[in-house]
Amino acid sequence: MDALALLQIIESGLRLSVPLIFACLAGLWSEKSGIVDIGLEGKMLIAAFAAAVAAFLTGQAWIGVLAAVFASTLLGLLHGFASISQRGNQIISGVALNMLAAGLTALLGNVIFKQGGRSPPLDGAARLPELALGQSAMTILAISAVLLTALALARTRFGLRVRAAGENPAAVDNAGASLTRLRYGAVILAGILCGFAGATLSLGQAAGFLPMMTAGQGFVALAALIFAKWRAWPAFWTCLLFGLLDAVAIRLQGVSLPGIGAIPVQAIQALPYLFTIVLLAGFMGRAVPPRAAGQPYVKER
Amino acid sequence: MSVRSELGGALPPAIIFDRIDKRFGAVHANRAIQLAIARGEIHALVGENGAGKSTLMSILFGFYRADSGRILIDGQESRIASPSDAIAYGIGMVHQHFMLVEPMSVADNLLLGHEGGFALGGGRKALLARLDVLARDYDLAIDPDAIVGELPVGLQQRVELLKSLVRDADILVLDEPTAVLTPGEADRLFALLRDLKARGKTIILITHKLREVMAIADRVSVLRQGALVGTYPIAQTHEAALAAAMIGRRVQMPQRADDAPIDTPLLTVQNLSARDARGRIAVMDVSFTLRRGEILGIAGVAGNGQTELLETLAGLRPHERGIVRFTHHDIADASPDDLHALGIRHIPEDRLRYGLVSQFPIWENCLIGADAEESALIDRPAAIDDAAWMMQAYDVRPNNPLLRAGALSGGNQQKLILGREIEQKPQLLLVGQPTRGVDIGAIAFIHHRLLDLRAQGVAILLISVELDEILRLSDRILVMHQGRIAGERRAGETDERDLGLLMAGIA
Amino acid sequence: MSAPLPLPVWVDRVLMPASALATAALAAALLLLAIGENPAEALAIMLRGALGSGEGIGFTLYYATNFIFTGLAVALAYRAGMFNIGAEGQATMAGIGAALMIFAAERFTQGLLLVPIGIAGAMLFGALWGAIPGWLQAWRGSHVVITTIMFNFLAAIVSVYLLVNVMGKEGSMQPETRLIADGSQLWTFQALFAALGITIPATPLNFSFILALLAAFVVWIAIERSKFGFHLRLTGAGNESARYAGIDTRRMTVLAMALSGALAAGMAVNEVMGVQHRVLIEFSSGYGFVGIAVALMGRNHPVGVILSALLFGALYQGGAELAFERPAITRDLIVTLSGLVIFCVGALDQLYRTPLARLFTRRVVR
């Protein structure tokens, strides 16, 4: 393999990792604050859809990004309402919102675009422009988000309180900080980040929206979060690794390897899921989630 | 002293609870409590479990809102709607279950809620300076970068206390602070409290250990069933009077008969070691024997390996090495199922974790670990009848097997488990903290039952942090300290003081 | 942890799901208004389509068959303390299993024996696809929620590979198998009724519906009345009481997930052996996910599962009719509605419980 091919793989790997990085950071903020988020997938999907609709209607990619952030945050707030205010089951809420997003985007897509759910191809100013090396502004935004997340968690009041909220919410409550406000803050952050992830998918990587276009990336991001043990920089490297894997897989499609022969497309498609399963099974080191994640906070009597 | 009390008379009390009333559903937790805490005193608050002490303090700290009544701080009516309000009024609280974030550093824990701005840098610097001053003034040195979860319990409590002190709290509330301390550590804590008092702090001490009250408090208030029974200067009261005020009625507590068992050992434990949930060695080289008709008490400060020892013997925790023999059976690796088949039953320390499922009806709870009959189907009517009979026999109230187990009080839940396990006709009963969170009437009932079993020849291993209970029931007493057996005593040849030294690892 | 407020049984089992369903329906109605459709008219079309004719009822019961199986699968795992999101993938693999076993057995017999062989093949594959995530949770600590999601994706990928490269019909470009032998095809209701001399319209409704009711009865006995079910519920109780009682909780976890997968396999039996008579790509088409809504709305009780499966069957059939008459309203409306139902029943429990508790428990206490 020559240097050019290698460079191409790195370029496309980085590009493919961008939505994963956003989604993974979204999960990080949410789970650090104690709210388990199975709904990254749904938020990304609805964001991708909203971005495509807005960009299609206005012809402006940046309006698409705003719409994505808005839609994703709205869905995130629903999750927050169920998880924080109503102390509901966070996993069920996430599953429900994933289904809601899948149904809603297909239904509305059909109504708006009249093409069986998919959007017409977007081009020109309706897409995120490439800056250099195959990257859009979203790549820079994603890396800045990693940096800011790492800094904010370690060095700010909000970060300190979020970390505490996921481990011992009673301690936060006792220290006189509002747990509810904190967790809503984290959930909104997660919504914004998933908005970027979705917009990257439909305005950057693809030229428009397809039903179910997230194809499990929200869950892969969740796996990356676990692998990274809920830390920002390791999350970045894990997502980058997944992106590179994906890029290699695309390149290997239809290529006949010496001694092995052609690899079936399906084997390559299955890789991220298999990787996630192996990862979760702890064959690559144990991960301990924030202790209070997933448990509704009820004051002890 | 006289000058101080005159001054105290001139100043308004630090806190006045004015007709504080609070209900939780059907439970009347605080009944129009009227109580004044003087500035600069150590005021003890005593009462049984559920008497309303913690509720009253939670209202003071803004955790709950009183249904009616008001709180006056320094004579001014206060508005305390949340812990942050309480902190602003100069109130600090040391909770029984520490409100600490274990994976975070000491400094981060102390900063939490008090960060001094958006960025942490400035607040952290100020905190370190303040810690230096406190370390000098009170001899409270601590490493600010240490991870709280890795500190010993005594130091964790220090962090909890420092949280209030860095915030310049004038009023300190301590909830059962000595529950996790050895007698020696407790003495050091009391010295610190006296020091704090000398510097003008007001201290409220919640406890149920009357000896501590007599040793350190200036005045004591007794709560019973949510109501204030009375407030007494220490000089004008004594332990027996306080106990009577707490209980409200005389309960005859049973006492072991003086007949020593003479039999070959039923249970033999040799050099047993086991790890705790974090993988650290918690039980180390423990050896003992237990005979039929004998109660062997195991005393110790909570967290010295007793819990792990009990769980290992009960088949719930793997052992690291050592031998456990029941008659001629090797049971070191036995599962709870195997133990049941041999006639070994277990009353767990933590009722709601092991013993019961609170959302299941009582009759189903009566079948937990007790459904060994042949049939694959459950005969519902018969099981309900059996449960009703058992509840009658073991005084579980209200006697309705269709209720959820969670609807029962702690004492009734404990009697339910006791009945279920005793009705399995054990030869060996492993008992953990049988009276934790149980009202005094139920304690007497449970003790009677355990002594009945002893008289019938059942061997009983009794693990308890209540020395009183250990002393009255046991034939022999082992004391655990840091996972090892620190000493063995015959009943009648020891007392609380002697056991306390063993528990501290001194003797 | 404070226990949820106790409610009278009928309020908990009937009024709670009904209020949640009403909320979800209201939201769906608003959605229809937003896309310029008339909700009342849509409801009328759906009702007519689902229940207005013998044919409609037949289709409704056929869909309900799928939902009873997937709903029972989710419910059984739920009672054992696990949230099985993998019924979809388990059913997909079960379809493959049924076809493989039938194709293998066709060499020896063409008769009725193929039916139990096919069902066994389906259950075996479904159980295996459920048991692996169960095993991974019990022994490796990976959460069953995420692994079953991954196993759904894997099942989809594996089935495409098998249908294209291994089991595909010769000479066809479609990713599907050849037809299974006549003897392995389940009797339609039309045939069953014809044997009794009664004529009913031709619908996909087949013997699987009776199997589904039978499965619900067996699950009811097993969970509510047997010692095994008691041990399963203890394992799912959320504390250590099962271990204390001497139950091998790891074994129970694997077993419950295997049984859950075997129940999901019933959906494949209905589709592959009862209706299509071959394995089509993506034949599971979301029934597994709707099963989550069915189970939660049925309060994870077999009787509740049957009732809510009937409701969702009617919604599906009515939805199909609606999509036909109103092209703007695709089948995705039902997916959306399922999501809303899961959200309201499963995650907003407290929202309904608190006011209902206030309404119904005061009389009892005072």
Side-chain angles (χ1 to χ4, degrees), chain A residues 91, chain C residues 73-85 130-131 133-135 137-138 142-145 148 232 235-237 249-258 260 300:
Chain A
I91 288 176
Chain C
V74 177
L76 184 126
Y78 202 92
R79 298 298 285 272
M82 279 167 296
F83 196 36
N84 178 13
I85 310 185
W135 183 86
Q137 166 151 323
S142 35
H143 206 290
V144 95
V145 166
T148 51
L232 181 134
T235 306
T249 51
R250 286 173 165 176
R251 200 177 136 258
M252 190 56 101
T253 298
V254 180
L255 202 55
M257 280 303 290
S260 179
N300 297 301

Side-chain angles (χ1 to χ4, degrees), chain C residues 157-234:
Chain C
I157 292 169
V158 169
S159 68
V160 171
Y161 177 75
L162 290 177
L163 291 178
V164 172
N165 300 24
V166 184
M167 304 168 65
K169 191 162 83 179
E170 278 174 43
S172 163
M173 292 303 286
Q174 293 294 326
E176 61 180 54
T177 63
R178 65 176 167 85
L179 290 179
I180 54 174
D182 286 350
S184 61
Q185 301 178 2
L186 292 173
W187 316 279
T188 62
F189 263 48
Q190 195 187 26
L192 287 173
F193 274 74
L196 301 172
I198 304 168
T199 313
I200 58 168
T203 64
L205 183 62
N206 63 77
F207 186 69
S208 307
F209 181 64
I210 293 168
L211 290 178
L213 295 181
L214 206 65
F217 181 72
V218 172
V219 168
W220 177 72
I221 292 279
I223 291 187
E224 307 287 339
R225 290 286 184 274
S226 82
K227 225 156 67 180
F228 166 78
F230 180 56
H231 290 179
L232 181 134
R233 287 186 288 121
L234 269 185

Side-chain angles (χ1 to χ4, degrees), chain A residues 37 39-48 72 75-76 79 98 101 190-191 194:
Chain A
D37 198 351
L40 297 174
E41 177 87 1
K43 282 201 281 280
M44 277 170 82
L45 188 62
I46 211 160
S72 159
L75 204 65
H79 185 54
N98 283 339
C194 279

